[in-house]
Amino acid sequence: MKSLFEQMGGTYTKVGDYYLPNLLPAEKEIEIGIWGQRHARYLKKHHKVVYYELLTRGKLNEYLADLNEQAED
């Protein structure tokens, strides 16, 4: 019998002897440069709501990589 979480499309990952729910969406593996890393620190310190919103939506790395690209151009 599936749990309500599984019935709604949720998945689990086995860590040791425990199954932990995958609560955050998987983010793309994108290399983030120095400007993206600095902006991430700035957001985390001064704009926590924006930082955690991007993080929980799975868009933080994409946002930071795009910002880094703009800064390098």
Side-chain angles (χ1 to χ4, degrees):
M1 182 171 172
K2 289 185 176 183
S3 67
L4 180 60
F5 181 69
E6 290 174 306
Q7 291 174 12
M8 296 182 69
T11 58
Y12 294 92
T13 301
K14 187 173 183 179
V15 179
D17 293 336
Y18 301 99
Y19 286 94
L20 301 176
N22 299 322
L23 300 177
L24 298 176
E27 286 197 65
K28 297 177 188 175
E29 291 292 327
I30 302 173
E31 188 173 327
I32 300 169
I34 187 69
W35 300 111
Q37 293 172 18
R38 288 180 179 179
H39 191 67
R41 283 195 303 265
Y42 169 78
L43 285 177
K44 193 171 185 178
K45 186 174 182 180
H46 299 286
H47 297 281
K48 290 182 181 186
V49 173
V50 174
Y51 176 83
Y52 286 110
E53 180 183 355
L54 289 167
L55 180 65
T56 56
R57 289 181 181 225
K59 298 190 181 285
L60 180 62
N61 287 346
E62 185 178 332
Y63 169 77
L64 294 173
D66 182 47
L67 185 133
N68 190 73
E69 184 178 322
Q70 290 176 28
E72 288 180 354
D73 288 343

